Amino acid sequence: MPNLSLKPIKRTPVLTKLNILLLSLLGLVSGTNNSNCTTVEVSITQRIDGEGFHRSIDWLIEATTPSTIDWLASKCQLVLRVEVPLGMFVNPDQLIEIKSLKWLLDGVVDVEAPAHESQSHLVYIYLDSSQFERATVALPVHMRYQRAQITGGYGKVPFSKPSLLIWCPKGLESICGRGLKVEAPCNHLSLDNICIWRNFTYEAHFDDVDLFVPVGDLDHYPLVSIVTLLLGCAGCIYVLSILSTTPL
Ligand SMILES: *[C@@H]1O[C@H](CO)[C@@H](O)[C@H](O)[C@H]1NC(C)=O
């Protein structure tokens, strides 16, 4: 009777499925039974203004819950963590001029270096809790010169979405939901004080983008050199001819 021997084998998957269901139900309950947690909902819109080498990355950060008053009472903080890729840089001297921005730079910025000789850096922008429901941030960035290519054209600089980190004095569990823990400076004053923040999942009304910068064309190089040289010679001859015909 082969049928009988088959039955118990068929039953096991059903049992394990039930077990998994039960376990995940338990998991769900334990995950959400922290009734003291605050629900936070934030959405971000990103726009990149300008063409060529000087741009502004603008973010509109909007929160639907909690209210600004409740957020201020919670003393929680939000920071935007922006990864500035190799092909781009922020100019610290320029950021100092923007009084409304609380920022901290992690990394060394060489404003002269071309893309292939530079390092990426991080910019932390600490958001003002009194503008929790609606805040705008504008970060001026500059594109680096790219190594000239045989074909010229455009160089591509990928720019990823910023991370939004959240920190609360009552502990990260006081905010509902999950998210990986990330180390980041506690405030904009120093890189030395590190806090554990939570990588908060916000609703992004935008995608990762590629920015394009014009690239020098190696094909043009000999032509440009010859024309420059010829113009230089012509200038010399002209000046000399004037000097030699002017009576002293
Ligand atoms: C935060 O999470 C997002 C989405 O999962 C991820 O792309 C990003 O790299 C994370 N940020 C950090 C600093 O871990």
Side-chain angles (χ1 to χ4, degrees):
M1 296 196 205
N3 272 354
L4 263 180
S5 62
L6 269 176
K7 261 187 184 167
I9 301 168
K10 271 193 177 171
R11 214 176 276 151
T12 20
V14 178
L15 271 176
T16 40
K17 261 183 203 162
L18 259 176
N19 277 341
I20 290 166
L21 195 73
L22 273 173
L23 280 175
S24 50
L25 269 177
L26 277 173
L28 266 178
V29 171
S30 62
T32 49
N33 79 357
N34 183 3
S35 51
N36 297 325
C37 74
T38 310
T39 304
V40 177
E41 271 168 30
V42 179
S43 70
I44 302 184
T45 312
Q46 175 182 282
R47 198 183 63 195
I48 298 183
D49 269 346
E51 293 285 319
F53 286 93
H54 308 287
R55 321 246 183 149
S56 174
I57 308 180
D58 302 343
W59 292 285
L60 171 65
I61 302 143
E62 289 171 299
T64 48
T65 181
S67 67
T68 299
I69 293 169
D70 290 344
W71 181 254
L72 281 168
S74 76
K75 299 229 169 24
C76 297
Q77 296 284 329
L78 285 177
V79 65
L80 207 57
R81 179 188 183 276
V82 184
E83 267 185 70
V84 184
L86 293 185
M88 233 191 233
F89 65 92
V90 292
N91 187 340
D93 293 337
Q94 187 184 17
L95 293 191
I96 289 171
E97 303 285 309
I98 313 173
K99 301 285 179 232
S100 59
L101 212 59
K102 278 190 185 158
W103 57 277
L104 188 66
L105 184 73
D106 189 356
V108 185
V109 181
D110 179 350
V111 298
E112 307 278 332
H116 61 278
E117 285 170 11
S118 68
Q119 289 172 309
S120 61
H121 42 277
L122 281 174
V123 181
Y124 294 101
I125 298 166
Y126 293 79
L127 303 181
D128 185 350
S129 292
S130 66
Q131 290 169 15
F132 177 68
E133 282 167 55
R134 191 176 190 281
T136 52
V137 171
L139 182 71
V141 295
H142 307 276
M143 310 305 291
R144 293 186 187 275
Y145 289 97
Q146 307 233 342
R147 195 204 297 263
Q149 296 168 0
I150 304 293
T151 50
Y154 287 87
K156 190 166 85 173
V157 178
F159 182 72
S160 322
K161 287 183 192 135
S163 300
L164 185 65
L165 310 183
I166 196 167
W167 177 87
C168 286
K170 281 193 217 151
L172 297 181
E173 309 74 41
S174 59
I175 298 297
C176 306
R178 288 153 199 269
L180 288 179
K181 291 186 175 143
V182 178
E183 286 188 355
C186 302
N187 55 46
H188 70 287
L189 301 173
S190 140
L191 281 169
D192 298 331
N193 297 335
I194 297 294
C195 289
I196 307 290
W197 298 66
R198 195 205 289 169
N199 187 3
F200 183 77
T201 311
Y202 59 88
E203 191 186 339
H205 296 306
F206 62 99
D207 289 313
D208 293 338
V209 285
D210 289 326
L211 302 181
F212 292 91
V213 267
V215 172
D217 189 338
L218 275 185
D219 275 354
H220 292 163
Y221 186 71
L223 183 70
V224 169
S225 326
I226 289 168
V227 169
T228 312
L229 194 69
L230 286 178
L231 279 177
C233 289
C236 279
I237 291 165
Y238 178 70
V239 170
L240 282 176
S241 69
I242 287 178
L243 282 180
S244 58
T245 53
T246 311
L248 289 169

